[in-house]
Amino acid sequence: MTNSIKVVARVMITPGNEDAFETYAAELSVATRAEAGCLSYHLHRHLNQKGVYVFVEEWASRQV
């Protein structure tokens, strides 16, 4: 059994702000992956709904 925790967050971006969001999210992803306990951190864009994104994170434990 693993102690890791997964977090899934769905966000909806105001139309026209997708490029700015993706730029910011890329920077956030780099910083978050560098945090202690972060096992993975990925952003996914919905293929059929513009402006809909999902963050999927995995952390070593709830404590971190």
Side-chain angles (χ1 to χ4, degrees):
M1 181 173 211
T2 179
N3 290 329
S4 71
I5 184 169
K6 292 186 179 173
V7 178
V8 178
R10 181 176 182 253
V11 296
M12 297 173 61
I13 303 305
T14 305
N17 291 323
E18 295 89 357
D19 289 342
F21 170 76
E22 289 185 21
T23 298
Y24 173 74
E27 295 170 6
L28 177 66
S29 295
V30 171
T32 302
R33 286 186 190 113
E35 291 185 32
C38 181
L39 302 177
S40 67
Y41 188 91
H42 300 282
L43 175 65
H44 303 274
R45 179 180 352 150
H46 196 291
L47 295 176
N48 300 317
Q49 291 181 314
K50 189 172 183 177
V52 177
Y53 298 85
V54 175
F55 288 97
V56 180
E57 310 171 34
E58 184 173 10
W59 297 86
S61 69
R62 183 177 296 271
Q63 291 73 25
V64 298

